[in-house]
Amino acid sequence: AYARLFARLHKALPAHQILLVTTLPRGGTQIAQPASCPEPLRKGYQRDAYLHDRATWQAIIQGRALTGEECWPEGWTRSSFYSKWMYPNGLRQLLVVPISDPMLCGYPGALHFYRGEGQGPFTDDERKTAEHWSAQVSHALRASRVRTLVEAVLQVPNFTGLEVELTESELKAHAESMLSLGRQRQFIFDQQGVSQPLYGETKLMDAELANRMRVGARQQLEALDGRRVVAGRVRLGDSNGRQWAFHTVAFSHYPAVAPEVVMIYCFQPLPCEWYALTPADFQADPELMRLIPTMRFMREEFAQNPTLNDIALQAHLSPFHFHRRFSELLGQTPKQFLLDCQVQLASRLLLKHVVLTEIARRCGFAHQSHFTSRFKHATGLTPTRWRRLAGSNGLPTGPG
């Protein structure tokens, strides 16, 4: 499907290279497609160029197609993105257009159209063509996400007994509700605690949570002390007392996003959203293609408590190397992902009023007290309190 898509894009808008770039929950951007992306182009982008890719972020923030000159009005051919990455790879002209959530809900991206020497700049008509195709691709990918989320729920053995009573239309409505969480999953703050308007005029989901994020961003950025990047994981409480886990990345230098230090909060996708991805979604990056199946394996086997060795075998990597690269590229550790799988199933069983001992058994916890302890650590609420709040006011499954 991706091969056909890029063939049609090249026919509709002639370009030397067309790339699909996506933001990810690790706090950066990634070239995801096409499979034919030259290796020097991909490696150069991953090594340093993504830090200077203002084009992707400006297209997302402004919500429209932009040329290189519009992204760098101060002189874009003098920018590091052009001089150190585009020019050495034979690229001279750039047109970038935003695309909604190409891989994961709440993580937007952009289509990049590049031309080489002698091909000439992009015209206004070509800009309109690019925006038309972006809308078409966004719609098609969203429809695909709904379909694969439905399939993800139906196909996983741990979920089958729970969901068998639901019709496919109800499952589709459930998938749509998960997708609706997407507009509030990534938050970018400067040192003054001001948030970048990534999604237009949308507001943070909870006043208490928003304040904790602002305060945390200021404190973390003040403590950078010259270090280039500091990543971590924090749990922040909302006005209901529930805690949300965020992967955080503080950059002392990220000119693509802001001229000064910047802090990015990334709310992790639900396990079934990761499960809906396949290696084919990241054909431009062999390493990510290798890691995606391990997430599918963990979601299918989490109740059996697979070891790190068991999981690393799926990627044909040593446990040490697998753990390091999984954490760096996906913004969470394998252990955190396994706990997310357990908590997601436990939450749905709580809504079905299954007794706690049975939930502990079905989700792979050692016993009921172990389940209660881990669930409270993950959510900030005991299972009983979570069920009571969910029953009274429809407690959401994500901060959306």
Side-chain angles (χ1 to χ4, degrees), residues 343-389:
V343 169
Q344 187 186 8
L345 177 56
S347 299
R348 302 175 77 168
L349 291 170
L350 284 168
L351 292 175
K352 294 286 184 180
H353 299 285
V354 179
V355 297
L356 300 188
T357 53
E358 177 64 12
I359 295 176
R361 184 189 67 81
R362 290 182 63 173
C363 296
F365 295 102
H367 41 70
Q368 181 181 330
S369 60
H370 180 228
F371 160 54
T372 299
S373 172
R374 296 301 292 159
F375 189 89
K376 184 175 181 180
H377 174 74
T379 68
L381 302 172
T382 65
T384 303
R385 177 165 169 73
W386 190 96
R387 176 151 51 191
R388 186 165 58 250
L389 283 173

Side-chain angles (χ1 to χ4, degrees), residues 129-397:
T129 298
E131 289 179 331
H132 167 77
W133 273 97
S134 172
Q136 296 293 314
V137 172
S138 295
H139 177 76
L141 287 174
R142 183 180 180 86
S144 174
R145 293 287 170 256
V146 171
R147 183 174 62 254
T148 52
L149 281 171
V150 170
E151 292 170 353
V153 172
L154 287 172
Q155 291 174 0
V156 178
N158 290 315
F159 284 72
T160 302
L162 179 66
E163 298 293 348
V164 69
E165 65 198 66
L166 299 181
T167 65
E168 185 161 332
S169 62
E170 288 172 320
L171 284 171
K172 184 174 181 179
H174 177 71
E176 287 280 11
S177 71
M178 287 193 291
L179 290 174
S180 70
L181 302 177
R183 309 312 294 172
Q184 293 286 350
R185 293 198 178 187
Q186 194 171 204
F187 307 91
I188 301 178
F189 291 88
D190 61 21
Q191 197 162 7
Q192 287 69 47
V194 177
S195 178
Q196 290 274 6
L198 286 186
Y199 310 101
E201 298 300 319
T202 55
K203 298 178 181 179
L204 296 179
M205 75 303 291
D206 178 273
E208 180 65 23
L209 183 56
N211 184 60
R212 291 177 184 271
M213 292 170 72
R214 293 189 188 99
V215 171
R218 289 197 298 266
Q219 292 174 344
Q220 186 71 34
L221 291 174
E222 288 172 0
L224 263 179
D225 194 28
R227 290 173 291 179
R228 187 179 184 186
V229 180
V230 176
R233 186 176 175 93
V234 298
R235 296 183 182 277
L236 302 175
D238 63 18
S239 55
N240 285 320
R242 180 163 188 186
Q243 291 188 337
W244 301 103
F246 292 89
H247 176 66
T248 63
V249 193
F251 293 91
S252 63
H253 180 69
Y254 199 169
V257 177
E260 300 176 347
V261 292
V262 66
M263 175 85 161
I264 303 180
Y265 286 88
C266 301
F267 176 70
Q268 286 290 341
L270 300 174
C272 56
E273 295 176 78
W274 284 113
Y275 185 86
L277 293 176
T278 70
D281 289 313
F282 292 96
Q283 287 178 316
D285 193 306
E287 193 169 21
L288 268 176
M289 289 180 67
R290 178 183 286 190
L291 293 178
I292 292 300
T294 68
M295 306 187 86
R296 298 175 66 86
F297 172 79
M298 283 188 278
R299 186 168 181 264
E300 292 173 351
E301 302 294 332
F302 69 87
Q304 310 305 318
N305 292 305
T307 66
L308 183 62
N309 283 343
D310 295 332
I311 304 167
L313 279 174
Q314 308 303 310
H316 306 288
L317 296 171
S318 71
F320 173 80
H321 184 61
F322 165 73
H323 188 280
R324 181 174 64 86
R325 294 305 289 157
F326 185 97
S327 303
E328 290 174 352
L329 293 176
L330 299 172
Q332 61 183 321
T333 66
K335 184 177 180 179
Q336 289 163 349
F337 182 78
L338 284 170
L339 179 59
D340 285 347
C341 292
Q342 292 176 302
V343 169
Q344 187 186 8
L345 177 56
S347 299
R348 302 175 77 168
L349 291 170
L350 284 168
L351 292 175
K352 294 286 184 180
H353 299 285
V354 179
V355 297
L356 300 188
T357 53
E358 177 64 12
I359 295 176
R361 184 189 67 81
R362 290 182 63 173
C363 296
F365 295 102
H367 41 70
Q368 181 181 330
S369 60
H370 180 228
F371 160 54
T372 299
S373 172
R374 296 301 292 159
F375 189 89
K376 184 175 181 180
H377 174 74
T379 68
L381 302 172
T382 65
T384 303
R385 177 165 169 73
W386 190 96
R387 176 151 51 191
R388 186 165 58 250
L389 283 173
S392 63
N393 60 12
L395 194 68
T397 56

Side-chain angles (χ1 to χ4, degrees), residues 76-148:
W76 92 288
T77 56
R78 299 193 302 273
S79 69
S80 293
F81 189 72
Y82 180 89
S83 62
K84 296 183 179 180
W85 183 70
M86 281 184 57
Y87 191 86
N89 286 289
L91 308 177
R92 299 294 183 267
Q93 302 290 336
L94 166 64
L95 179 66
V96 60
V97 58
I99 185 167
S100 300
D101 312 332
M103 300 299 160
L104 290 162
C105 307
Y107 288 91
L111 281 169
H112 288 221
F113 297 85
Y114 294 96
R115 284 180 173 166
E117 194 76 51
Q119 285 189 292
F122 293 95
T123 66
D124 288 341
D125 285 343
E126 288 174 327
R127 181 199 300 261
K128 294 176 182 177
T129 298
E131 289 179 331
H132 167 77
W133 273 97
S134 172
Q136 296 293 314
V137 172
S138 295
H139 177 76
L141 287 174
R142 183 180 180 86
S144 174
R145 293 287 170 256
V146 171
R147 183 174 62 254
T148 52

